[in-house]
Amino acid sequence: MSTPVWITATPPATHGELHIGHLAGPYVAADVLTRYLRAEGEAVRFTTGTADHASSVEVRALRHHRKPEEVAEGYRAAITADWLRSGVEFDHIVRPRRDKGYARWVQDLFGRLYAQGVIAPRTRLLPYCEPCDRWLHGAHATGTCPHCGAASDGGMCHECARPNDGGDLIAARCALCDTPAVARRCRRLYVPLEPFRETLAEYWATAGLPPRLAALCESLVEDGLPDIAVGHPADWGLPVPVEGFPEHRIDGCFEAAAMHLFGYDVTGPLPRRAIHFCGFGHAFCHAVLLPVLLLAQDVKLPQDFNVNESYVIEEGVREGNVWALDLLTEYGSDTLRRHVLQARPLGRRTVFQRERLASARRELDENWNSWLARLFAAVREECSGLAPQALPGGTGWEVLERRLHRGVDDLREAYGPDAFDPRRAVAVLDEMVRSVADFGYVNAHERCRPSTSCRHLPALAAQLAVASALSAWARPVMPEGSDRLAAALQVAPGRPVDWHALTAPLPGARLEPPSGPVFGF
């Protein structure tokens, strides 16, 4: 087997459950690409992890008087269950507090980088809360981003994706008690990025970055690449393995970048291509810190980035309307996946609207499922539930066949890594279903013609061929319903998205349609 394509998705912090915005971001989209490439026979390794040591986990634990490990473990289990129910199938999910050897691996990497001079000590200002007697780093601090003026935590602004050093956070306050912070000098460990200026600039120039991410990287170079704190005085997280910093913990952004390397194991054969899926607010870790960790180890790796903006949950929307678990229970994975792909925020923010989610279900019920129900009913009534003894044909079949052929080309382009556009894929699939449904309605009248018997059977065979093809063509978007359709038609699931999938079930094969809807429920 050839070296795989490596696909990553941002490790979520385990301070809460997944909501629909997370699914609309990196996870479902990355799974679509993974499923398409695997169906094509490509070797793929799809990885992520859970950011159990994020500062937000400790903040949530302190607010609710719990232990951070209890918070992390509980939400890690919920997040992985949501991925499973939504059909997002990873090859490896790094579990920082469970995976054997993980802590030592990250600490060894940190120690090597310190010995090489990639990590160095610096003394800078850091917010401090006197009532809590606590240094404020990451989610412990709230304030205003010094770069874009948006509300921001310490360390990273999720609006402009630029880092702050905590001490330059404007009007910093304690996230726990809301007391204005006091700036104190603190000696911490940093990765100075300026020594990587030329190699990073070359890397970004060849990576084909999305425009907003390219603008971020170019502005970092123009302004002077910053020093990035990779350790903080804290109680939660992996201990810094450097003498002189006994109460410091490794920064969550550094650990998230290192987590990707642990999930793939870059000490072995390198992938021929890496494709990273992330929200723009997390892009710094993927596009800046991760390449630095690779470059520091003399690893040069072709990498691509699929970056989404925020899928906004408006104020006033009840929590039960946005949590992934609740929506999956109410709508099922097919409906939710196609909705988040249609609403995926590319280049601009999009706002969650429950009506659009309901519209996705109506599309499946009124077009996809209703056509399949009519088709299976006709086969049952006319052919005793067996695939007809006829070749695909019927009035308008040649035109429909050509249209489907063009649609497959569009699908392959939309699914492929070079022009990845799952929203386009959903639109093409819907158009295919509407076209074959119209074809079915037109040819249903053949049964009423007394002049020639069995004239309607070629049209049934043609529709079964399209249904068979859709079980392959739609699988990257809606794997649950597609596999249900493949089982009903007695065809193999997971076939390539190509023209050869447009083949009717063997004549005489007994069809086994499900008792309920094929797609969604």
Side-chain angles (χ1 to χ4, degrees):
M1 182 177 288
S2 62
T3 55
V5 175
W6 179 27
I7 298 177
T8 73
T10 302
T14 50
H15 64 262
E17 299 179 38
L18 293 184
H19 58 64
I20 191 172
H22 295 115
L23 295 181
Y27 304 117
V28 171
D31 183 76
V32 168
L33 178 58
T34 299
R35 289 178 182 276
Y36 170 73
L37 291 176
R38 284 192 176 134
E40 291 292 297
E42 295 271 7
V44 180
R45 185 160 176 80
F46 182 25
T47 68
T48 189
T50 54
D52 296 352
H53 296 133
S55 56
S56 57
V57 173
E58 184 181 21
V59 170
R60 186 176 185 95
L62 291 169
R63 282 176 175 164
H64 295 275
H65 307 290
R66 300 177 62 192
K67 295 179 179 180
E69 52 266 36
E70 294 175 349
V71 172
E73 179 62 23
Y75 285 118
R76 184 198 61 76
I79 288 169
T80 53
D82 288 343
W83 281 331
L84 184 63
R85 293 189 64 173
S86 62
V88 178
E89 297 182 353
F90 293 99
D91 294 301
H92 189 183
I93 300 172
V94 178
R95 302 171 301 173
R97 302 188 60 79
R98 289 196 171 196
D99 284 10
K100 185 177 180 180
Y102 171 81
R104 176 172 292 182
W105 187 92
V106 174
Q107 289 174 315
D108 286 348
L109 173 62
F110 194 101
R112 289 198 307 273
L113 295 175
Y114 177 78
Q116 296 168 10
V118 175
I119 294 177
R122 299 282 190 272
T123 299
R124 304 280 169 76
L125 293 175
L126 185 66
Y128 187 85
C129 178
E130 293 179 336
C132 294
D133 190 22
R134 186 184 304 277
W135 290 101
L136 304 181
H137 67 92
H140 289 276
T142 63
T144 300
C145 174
H147 306 292
C148 70
S152 175
D153 292 344
M156 196 68 60
C157 175
H158 292 296
E159 179 66 31
C160 69
R162 293 189 61 152
N164 64 74
D165 195 33
D168 55 356
L169 191 66
I170 299 172
R173 307 179 73 90
C174 176
L176 290 172
C177 70
D178 200 37
T179 299
V182 176
R184 291 187 178 181
R185 290 168 59 84
C186 181
R187 187 167 177 80
R188 291 183 287 168
L189 291 167
Y190 287 76
V191 171
L193 295 180
E194 195 60 33
F196 293 92
R197 167 184 286 270
E198 292 185 5
T199 51
L200 278 175
E202 179 183 356
Y203 164 77
W204 291 330
T206 59
L209 302 178
R212 192 180 181 196
L213 183 54
L216 167 65
C217 294
E218 289 176 10
S219 66
L220 289 172
V221 172
E222 183 178 349
D223 296 343
L225 292 172
D227 297 345
I228 302 300
V230 292
H232 312 284
D235 299 321
W236 177 243
L238 296 177
V240 166
V242 175
E243 290 187 7
F245 298 88
E247 297 180 354
H248 286 227
R249 299 293 184 268
I250 295 175
D251 175 73
C253 185
F254 178 94
E255 188 180 343
M259 189 181 299
H260 286 308
L261 306 185
F262 181 83
Y264 186 85
D265 185 14
V266 293
T267 60
L270 294 176
R272 64 182 182 276
R273 183 177 187 179
I275 305 173
H276 303 295
F277 284 77
C278 65
F280 182 73
H282 295 276
F284 186 90
C285 289
H286 289 261
V288 182
L289 197 53
L290 177 58
V292 166
L293 299 188
L294 289 167
L295 292 168
Q297 301 174 82
D298 295 323
V299 174
K300 293 185 178 180
L301 180 64
Q303 299 183 75
D304 301 287
F305 297 88
N306 278 278
V307 180
N308 61 271
E309 299 291 339
S310 299
Y311 189 48
V312 181
I313 310 299
E314 290 186 323
E315 292 185 10
V317 176
R318 292 185 296 110
E319 289 186 350
N321 285 342
V322 300
W323 296 124
L325 175 60
D326 296 328
L327 294 174
L328 285 165
T329 301
E330 182 177 355
Y331 288 91
S333 68
D334 290 336
T335 301
L336 200 61
R337 283 174 67 104
R338 62 167 288 135
H339 166 72
V340 299
L341 293 172
Q342 287 179 302
R344 189 161 182 256
L346 291 177
R348 79 281 185 267
R349 291 185 170 186
T350 55
V351 178
F352 170 64
Q353 297 181 23
R354 194 178 180 89
E355 170 55 30
R356 292 185 179 179
L357 178 57
S359 176
R361 178 154 64 184
R362 286 196 299 271
E363 177 68 30
L364 290 179
D365 287 341
E366 295 175 4
N367 291 307
W368 290 65
N369 289 325
S370 63
W371 163 63
L372 288 170
R374 292 193 303 273
L375 175 60
F376 286 132
V379 172
R380 182 177 61 253
E381 294 169 5
E382 303 295 330
C383 309
S384 300
L386 304 178
Q389 300 280 347
L391 294 175
T395 301
W397 172 240
E398 292 183 357
V399 173
L400 176 59
E401 197 174 23
R402 289 196 299 270
R403 188 175 298 167
L404 292 171
H405 201 168
R406 292 193 298 270
V408 171
D409 290 340
D410 284 347
L411 273 180
R412 290 180 61 82
E413 180 182 68
Y415 281 146
D418 296 325
F420 184 68
D421 187 356
R423 183 187 303 171
R424 171 62 181 160
V426 172
V428 172
L429 291 168
D430 284 344
E431 176 60 27
M432 288 176 165
V433 170
R434 293 190 189 101
S435 295
V436 71
D438 289 343
F439 171 85
Y441 276 122
V442 168
N443 283 274
H445 297 286
E446 293 286 2
R447 285 178 290 180
C448 303
R449 295 175 60 175
S451 57
T452 307
S453 63
C454 301
R455 192 181 182 97
H456 59 289
L457 295 184
L460 288 182
Q463 292 178 78
L464 288 173
V466 178
S468 174
L470 283 171
S471 73
W473 298 346
R475 191 172 190 270
V477 172
M478 296 179 289
E480 185 176 5
S482 296
D483 287 353
R484 196 179 291 135
L485 180 57
L489 298 172
Q490 303 292 304
V491 298
R495 291 167 294 156
V497 178
D498 60 22
W499 181 246
H500 300 293
L502 190 64
T503 303
L506 291 174
R510 179 164 295 281
L511 306 188
E512 299 181 1
S515 58
V518 175
F519 290 91
F521 56 81

